[in-house]
Amino acid sequence: MKTADATILHLLRSASQPLPLPELAQAAGLSPAELAGRMAGLEQAGFGIELIPHLGYRLRETPDRLIADDLAALLGPGDRRIGREIVVFEETGSTNDVVARMARDGAGEGLVVFAERQTGGRGRLGRAWASAAHLGLWFSVLLRPRFPLTQWPRLTTWAAVAIARAIEKALPGSRAAIKWPNDIYLRGRKAVGILIEGSGAGDERFAIVGIGVNVNHLEDDFPPEVAARAGSLRTSLRGNAPPDEPLPPLDRPAIAATLLDELDRLYPSLEERFPEILAEAEQRSLLLGKWVRATTPGGMVEGIAEGLESDGRLRLRGREGQTLVFSGGEEVTLS
Ligand code: BTN
């Protein structure tokens, strides 16, 4: 753990019993007076910490806020690549831009930047990405892949599979489907978008995996232009319940940690076992086996979505039996 706060939060979050003050102080490398000071700081940040006489400290509640030390605490002390450095902004234009700047300043692979709110969130194909405050997880991961630039479509496939797994872990019983190349659907609604950007110019070599997850939105929280097809992890739990039934909010920090964990766990397979990632992406695909329409700069083409190529590109079989391959710069929808 990098900081005393991360250590304290990790111990408090993992404890089933109140933690005696001397034990906590020693683990965090603090004097009892310093520990009391840190506890006051954490309470100010929204953590409900109780001191039970003769027993010690207990965590009663946690805030619905993304806090770098708390995310580190949730991830735990093990070695990791993705999430080895976490930065949280209350507001920024686009987390992809922040990571690009930090990458140019030499930031290391695995840096993750979250923003509670984006004022210029971007989606694919030049679209805007609505990033309302404290409702979702808007974040970008810095990667420095060793494989050639031509293989970069792999990154979207890896991210989509890892995110689908994380969502199913966070919401047991759910089913996360991938709409190629970069959307995750829950119960027929788009809940996640992925935007990969990067640079391979000259000496510069990095990829930014931007991820937007709608977590605690209710139906009215989406802008009208996307409301008909957007959903959130929370709305996906409504199932057959009536729309006026209250849905409790989900634990965003815990979901953020689960996402980073799955991205990290699957990262070695990007280079070593990519066919396994591809097979899972195919099995989760909303498009495969269906008749789809691809809108390309050169016009519109239709065909059966047949499978994914070895680097994650989509293969269609056209009307005349011809093979058509798409890399992600096109809009592909069900016909
Ligand atoms: C899409 O569905 O078109 C992709 C949406 C990607 C949104 C995320 S939110 C975090 C990161 N910062 C951005 O500006 N975009 C991505």
Side-chain angles (χ1 to χ4, degrees), residues 93-97 113 118 120-125 127-131 137-140 182-183 190 192-197 208-213:
S94 156
T95 54
N96 272 26
D97 293 341
V113 172
Q118 294 184 116
R122 281 199 300 280
R124 270 175 71 238
L125 310 170
R127 296 182 184 130
W129 178 261
S131 322
L137 294 170
W138 326 125
F139 64 106
S140 302
N182 71 323
D183 299 341
K190 174 167 169 172
V192 179
I194 303 166
L195 176 67
I196 311 264
E197 294 178 319
I208 300 159
V209 183
I211 300 170
V213 185

Side-chain angles (χ1 to χ4, degrees), residues 104-335:
R104 292 194 173 104
D105 287 345
E109 177 165 79
L111 162 75
V112 181
V113 172
F114 285 89
E116 287 284 26
R117 170 168 181 258
Q118 294 184 116
T119 50
R122 281 199 300 280
R124 270 175 71 238
L125 310 170
R127 296 182 184 130
W129 178 261
S131 322
H134 308 123
L135 286 180
L137 294 170
W138 326 125
F139 64 106
S140 302
V141 181
L142 172 61
L143 298 177
R144 297 189 180 275
R146 283 184 302 252
F147 46 77
L149 275 184
T150 49
Q151 304 263 313
W152 281 21
R154 282 181 181 207
L155 293 172
T156 324
T157 317
W158 154 75
V161 168
I163 293 165
R165 286 186 184 182
I167 290 174
E168 290 179 2
K169 203 176 238 182
L171 307 180
S174 64
R175 176 88 193 115
I178 299 174
K179 179 181 163 286
W180 184 90
N182 71 323
D183 299 341
I184 307 274
Y185 274 65
L186 295 173
R187 287 185 171 269
R189 286 178 172 264
K190 174 167 169 172
V192 179
I194 303 166
L195 176 67
I196 311 264
E197 294 178 319
S199 171
D203 283 350
E204 222 176 66
R205 207 181 145 71
F206 58 84
I208 300 159
V209 183
I211 300 170
V213 185
N214 300 330
V215 179
N216 275 329
H217 301 64
L218 292 174
E219 287 77 357
D220 290 346
D221 292 320
F222 293 108
E225 59 280 12
V226 298
R229 57 178 197 287
S232 70
L233 271 56
R234 188 179 182 189
T235 57
S236 79
L237 296 179
R238 199 181 290 293
N240 298 324
D244 54 353
E245 184 122 322
L247 278 175
L250 300 171
D251 185 341
R252 281 187 315 133
I255 294 170
T258 307
L259 286 161
L260 297 186
D261 235 3
E262 289 300 320
L263 287 163
D264 190 56
R265 217 184 282 266
L266 199 60
Y267 193 60
S269 304
L270 243 187
E271 288 186 15
E272 292 153 22
R273 290 197 302 278
F274 191 65
E276 288 170 28
I277 300 183
L278 262 188
E280 185 168 335
E282 287 194 330
Q283 179 245 316
R284 291 181 179 277
S285 173
L286 274 180
L287 299 183
L288 292 200
K290 309 230 170 81
W291 190 256
V292 301
R293 175 182 303 155
T295 314
T296 73
M300 203 256 286
V301 281
E302 287 189 311
I304 295 262
E306 208 176 50
L308 298 179
E309 294 288 280
S310 62
D311 58 2
R313 289 176 303 151
L314 178 69
R315 187 176 65 255
L316 300 193
R317 179 74 49 203
R319 262 183 219 289
E320 279 83 43
Q322 75 279 33
T323 303
L324 304 157
V325 177
F326 298 97
S327 63
E330 320 73 9
E331 174 75 335
V332 181
T333 51
L334 290 172
S335 278

Side-chain angles (χ1 to χ4, degrees), residues 21 30-41 57:
L21 189 150
L30 300 173
S31 70
E34 286 169 335
L35 179 69
R38 295 310 329 145
M39 290 303 197
Y57 286 111

